PDB file of all heavy atoms in Angstrom:
ATOM      1  N   ILE A 417     -16.621  -2.464   1.728  1.00 99.00           N
ATOM      2  CA  ILE A 417     -15.273  -2.376   2.304  1.00 99.00           C
ATOM      3  C   ILE A 417     -14.275  -2.340   1.156  1.00 99.00           C
ATOM      4  O   ILE A 417     -14.220  -3.275   0.352  1.00 99.00           O
ATOM      5  CB  ILE A 417     -14.964  -3.572   3.217  1.00 99.00           C
ATOM      6  CG1 ILE A 417     -15.978  -3.667   4.354  1.00 99.00           C
ATOM      7  CG2 ILE A 417     -13.538  -3.463   3.777  1.00 99.00           C
ATOM      8  CD1 ILE A 417     -15.849  -4.939   5.189  1.00 99.00           C
ATOM      9  N   VAL A 418     -13.491  -1.285   1.073  1.00 98.00           N
ATOM     10  CA  VAL A 418     -12.433  -1.207   0.072  1.00 98.00           C
ATOM     11  C   VAL A 418     -11.149  -1.736   0.707  1.00 98.00           C
ATOM     12  O   VAL A 418     -10.625  -1.148   1.657  1.00 98.00           O
ATOM     13  CB  VAL A 418     -12.237   0.227  -0.444  1.00 98.00           C
ATOM     14  CG1 VAL A 418     -11.057   0.280  -1.424  1.00 98.00           C
ATOM     15  CG2 VAL A 418     -13.508   0.718  -1.130  1.00 98.00           C
ATOM     16  N   ALA A 419     -10.684  -2.853   0.192  1.00 98.00           N
ATOM     17  CA  ALA A 419      -9.451  -3.477   0.688  1.00 98.00           C
ATOM     18  C   ALA A 419      -8.528  -3.755  -0.490  1.00 98.00           C
ATOM     19  O   ALA A 419      -7.822  -4.770  -0.517  1.00 98.00           O
ATOM     20  CB  ALA A 419      -9.772  -4.754   1.452  1.00 98.00           C
ATOM     21  N   ALA A 420      -8.555  -2.869  -1.462  1.00 98.00           N
ATOM     22  CA  ALA A 420      -7.743  -3.032  -2.667  1.00 98.00           C
ATOM     23  C   ALA A 420      -6.286  -2.679  -2.377  1.00 98.00           C
ATOM     24  O   ALA A 420      -5.923  -2.314  -1.254  1.00 98.00           O
ATOM     25  CB  ALA A 420      -8.307  -2.163  -3.790  1.00 98.00           C
ATOM     26  N   GLY A 421      -5.454  -2.750  -3.411  1.00 97.00           N
ATOM     27  CA  GLY A 421      -4.020  -2.564  -3.226  1.00 97.00           C
ATOM     28  C   GLY A 421      -3.568  -1.126  -3.317  1.00 97.00           C
ATOM     29  O   GLY A 421      -4.228  -0.266  -3.906  1.00 97.00           O
ATOM     30  N   GLY A 422      -2.400  -0.853  -2.730  1.00 97.00           N
ATOM     31  CA  GLY A 422      -1.762   0.455  -2.825  1.00 97.00           C
ATOM     32  C   GLY A 422      -1.101   0.638  -4.180  1.00 97.00           C
ATOM     33  O   GLY A 422      -1.457  -0.019  -5.165  1.00 97.00           O
ATOM     34  N   ALA A 423      -0.115   1.527  -4.227  1.00 98.00           N
ATOM     35  CA  ALA A 423       0.389   1.986  -5.521  1.00 98.00           C
ATOM     36  C   ALA A 423       1.841   1.597  -5.753  1.00 98.00           C
ATOM     37  O   ALA A 423       2.750   2.134  -5.116  1.00 98.00           O
ATOM     38  CB  ALA A 423       0.235   3.493  -5.645  1.00 98.00           C
ATOM     39  N   SER A 424       2.037   0.671  -6.689  1.00 96.00           N
ATOM     40  CA  SER A 424       3.344   0.493  -7.296  1.00 96.00           C
ATOM     41  C   SER A 424       3.257   1.036  -8.722  1.00 96.00           C
ATOM     42  O   SER A 424       2.168   1.262  -9.251  1.00 96.00           O
ATOM     43  CB  SER A 424       3.756  -0.979  -7.319  1.00 96.00           C
ATOM     44  OG  SER A 424       2.938  -1.707  -8.217  1.00 96.00           O
ATOM     45  N   HIS A 425       4.409   1.276  -9.343  1.00 96.00           N
ATOM     46  CA  HIS A 425       4.470   1.720 -10.734  1.00 96.00           C
ATOM     47  C   HIS A 425       3.742   3.040 -10.976  1.00 96.00           C
ATOM     48  O   HIS A 425       3.232   3.273 -12.070  1.00 96.00           O
ATOM     49  CB  HIS A 425       3.960   0.634 -11.678  1.00 96.00           C
ATOM     50  CG  HIS A 425       4.981  -0.426 -11.947  1.00 96.00           C
ATOM     51  ND1 HIS A 425       6.037  -0.256 -12.818  1.00 96.00           N
ATOM     52  CD2 HIS A 425       5.130  -1.663 -11.432  1.00 96.00           C
ATOM     53  CE1 HIS A 425       6.774  -1.351 -12.833  1.00 96.00           C
ATOM     54  NE2 HIS A 425       6.243  -2.222 -11.994  1.00 96.00           N
ATOM     55  N   ILE A 426       3.674   3.906  -9.975  1.00 97.00           N
ATOM     56  CA  ILE A 426       3.344   5.291 -10.303  1.00 97.00           C
ATOM     57  C   ILE A 426       4.650   6.074 -10.484  1.00 97.00           C
ATOM     58  O   ILE A 426       4.650   7.149 -11.080  1.00 97.00           O
ATOM     59  CB  ILE A 426       2.437   5.963  -9.248  1.00 97.00           C
ATOM     60  CG1 ILE A 426       3.108   6.065  -7.883  1.00 97.00           C
ATOM     61  CG2 ILE A 426       1.113   5.234  -9.138  1.00 97.00           C
ATOM     62  CD1 ILE A 426       2.302   6.879  -6.894  1.00 97.00           C
ATOM     63  N   TYR A 427       5.737   5.530  -9.956  1.00 97.00           N
ATOM     64  CA  TYR A 427       7.078   6.068 -10.199  1.00 97.00           C
ATOM     65  C   TYR A 427       7.830   5.108 -11.110  1.00 97.00           C
ATOM     66  O   TYR A 427       7.625   3.895 -11.060  1.00 97.00           O
ATOM     67  CB  TYR A 427       7.852   6.230  -8.893  1.00 97.00           C
ATOM     68  CG  TYR A 427       7.465   7.455  -8.110  1.00 97.00           C
ATOM     69  CD1 TYR A 427       6.388   7.423  -7.234  1.00 97.00           C
ATOM     70  CD2 TYR A 427       8.165   8.647  -8.248  1.00 97.00           C
ATOM     71  CE1 TYR A 427       6.024   8.552  -6.511  1.00 97.00           C
ATOM     72  CE2 TYR A 427       7.813   9.774  -7.528  1.00 97.00           C
ATOM     73  CZ  TYR A 427       6.743   9.731  -6.664  1.00 97.00           C
ATOM     74  OH  TYR A 427       6.378  10.839  -5.962  1.00 97.00           O
ATOM     75  N   ARG A 428       8.702   5.649 -11.928  1.00 95.00           N
ATOM     76  CA  ARG A 428       9.517   4.824 -12.807  1.00 95.00           C
ATOM     77  C   ARG A 428      10.441   3.957 -11.963  1.00 95.00           C
ATOM     78  O   ARG A 428      11.179   4.458 -11.121  1.00 95.00           O
ATOM     79  CB  ARG A 428      10.322   5.725 -13.748  1.00 95.00           C
ATOM     80  CG  ARG A 428      11.116   4.969 -14.798  1.00 95.00           C
ATOM     81  CD  ARG A 428      11.501   5.879 -15.959  1.00 95.00           C
ATOM     82  NE  ARG A 428      12.095   7.130 -15.520  1.00 95.00           N
ATOM     83  CZ  ARG A 428      12.262   8.194 -16.307  1.00 95.00           C
ATOM     84  NH1 ARG A 428      11.862   8.157 -17.553  1.00 95.00           N
ATOM     85  NH2 ARG A 428      12.829   9.296 -15.843  1.00 95.00           N
TER      86      ARG A 428
END
Side-chain angles (χ1 to χ4, degrees):
I417 302 172
V418 176
S424 68
H425 280 282
I426 63 173
Y427 281 86
R428 185 161 49 194

